[in-house]
Amino acid sequence: MDSEADDDLILSAYTADSSELFPKILDLHVEDGARIADVTHGTGIFWQNIDLESRDIDLVTADITPKTDDLSMISDCRALPLKDDSLDCMVLDPPYAEGFYRRNKDHMAGHGSHGKFRDTYSGVREYEGSGKYHGAVLHTYFEGGKEAKRVLRDNGTLIIKIMDEVSSNTQELAHIQVTNYYERELDFYTKDLFIQVRKEKPTVVGMNRQVHARKNHSYFLVYKTP
Ligand SMILES: C[S@@+](CC[C@H](N)C(=O)[O-])C[C@H]1O[C@@H](n2cnc3c(N)ncnc32)[C@H](O)[C@@H]1O
């Protein structure tokens, strides 16, 4: 392979921001002309380096608490106002940490100096749904996956972003838990997995003895509908 082809080769792991990695995933797995819904659009970081026009992408943007003025719709990824079999691709990136799923806003993670992070990533809403702590994280991915199965056409593509977490001193490998559910309960085929390593060094607050490796990576997973 020549060096130009080497440069174009898409790899399974990058130290990168989502705005750098997501376009590579889209290039590899989603055809030009696709109708895509990003149902947890947030501030739209994923789309920062994507030229929708040149790829003829019809993008529907949605979030439960809008963070941009030009959102297509305000909606819950667990009950989307989209027709059955109406999309080629769905993108799902709900909050991945159980601390963002609290029935009382005062108990939610990310107070004070972490406020901006919380505003961007959680939606800052009281959680309504089944499951507690890490179970609430899984519930959102599971229900979002069910909606993906409904709204995606045959051979459609679901792209999720997810991070594992230690919750109540227990290691929760969320990317495996969600993949098991999608494969076993929803018949998705897991087509690809990307590891995104954070550029910044994680900060350490008040730790006495380290028990688990501090996570500095997350995943993008690509699933196909049956
Ligand atoms: C991790 S952020 C997404 C970041 C986004 N990918 C970006 O590029 O900015 C999680 C987003 O999910 C939204 N969210 C949380 N629960 C949701 C739900 N049930 N349905 C739809 N959006 C939800 C939050 O408001 C937040 O904007």
Side-chain angles (χ1 to χ4, degrees):
M1 199 180 289
D2 62 28
S3 67
E4 207 169 300
D6 260 2
D7 289 345
D8 288 346
L9 196 64
I10 293 171
L11 308 177
S12 61
Y14 288 92
T15 301
D17 297 331
S18 294
S19 64
E20 297 163 328
L21 175 53
F22 186 73
K24 294 180 193 298
I25 299 171
L26 215 61
D27 275 352
L28 189 58
H29 289 294
V30 180
E31 304 271 335
D32 288 355
R35 179 163 196 258
I36 306 176
D38 180 352
V39 298
T40 48
H41 178 260
T43 53
I45 296 159
F46 290 177
W47 304 97
Q48 260 170 21
N49 293 321
I50 292 172
D51 182 351
L52 297 177
E53 216 167 298
S54 75
R55 292 210 49 191
D56 191 23
I57 288 172
D58 175 10
L59 179 65
V60 177
T61 55
D63 200 292
I64 203 163
T65 44
K67 294 169 189 66
T68 55
D69 294 335
D70 52 354
L71 214 59
S72 318
M73 59 197 196
I74 298 172
S75 56
D76 189 327
C77 63
R78 298 167 297 175
L80 291 167
L82 291 170
K83 290 195 176 131
D84 295 1
D85 307 313
S86 59
L87 294 177
D88 301 298
C89 174
M90 182 173 129
V91 180
L92 178 68
D93 175 25
Y96 48 76
E98 56 102 345
F100 290 134
Y101 294 83
R102 291 289 187 268
R103 290 178 204 287
N104 179 337
K105 218 188 269 185
D106 295 337
H107 298 169
M108 203 179 274
H111 286 282
S113 57
H114 291 93
K116 188 166 182 299
F117 178 77
R118 180 175 88 168
D119 291 352
T120 306
Y121 287 95
S122 77
V124 200
R125 283 173 67 102
E126 289 90 354
Y127 171 67
E128 293 158 13
S130 60
K132 257 181 125 177
Y133 306 115
H134 185 67
V137 178
L138 292 181
H139 165 80
T140 305
Y141 279 95
F142 291 175
E143 294 302 309
K146 283 189 206 165
E147 277 297 78
K149 185 169 180 183
R150 181 181 69 76
V151 298
L152 285 170
R153 299 182 177 125
D154 288 352
N155 201 32
T157 306
L158 168 62
I159 304 174
I160 71 163
K161 187 175 180 200
I162 194 162
M163 192 168 174
D164 300 332
E165 67 172 342
V166 174
S167 168
S168 311
N169 294 319
T170 305
Q171 181 72 265
E172 301 283 4
L173 298 178
H175 78 287
I176 296 178
Q177 297 161 333
V178 167
T179 298
N180 283 343
Y181 183 84
Y182 284 1
E183 288 191 349
R184 292 171 190 170
E185 305 298 326
L186 304 181
D187 281 334
F188 280 119
Y189 160 61
T190 308
K191 188 170 182 198
D192 227 334
L193 176 153
F194 297 84
I195 298 169
Q196 178 183 18
V197 177
R198 231 181 248 166
K199 287 180 177 173
E200 320 79 46
K201 211 171 162 203
T203 49
V204 180
V205 189
M207 186 183 63
N208 296 326
R209 189 175 65 84
Q210 184 168 12
V211 179
H212 300 98
R214 176 58 62 93
K215 296 186 194 311
N216 66 336
H217 71 286
S218 42
Y219 303 89
F220 280 92
L221 284 130
V222 180
Y223 304 95
K224 297 297 282 187
T225 50

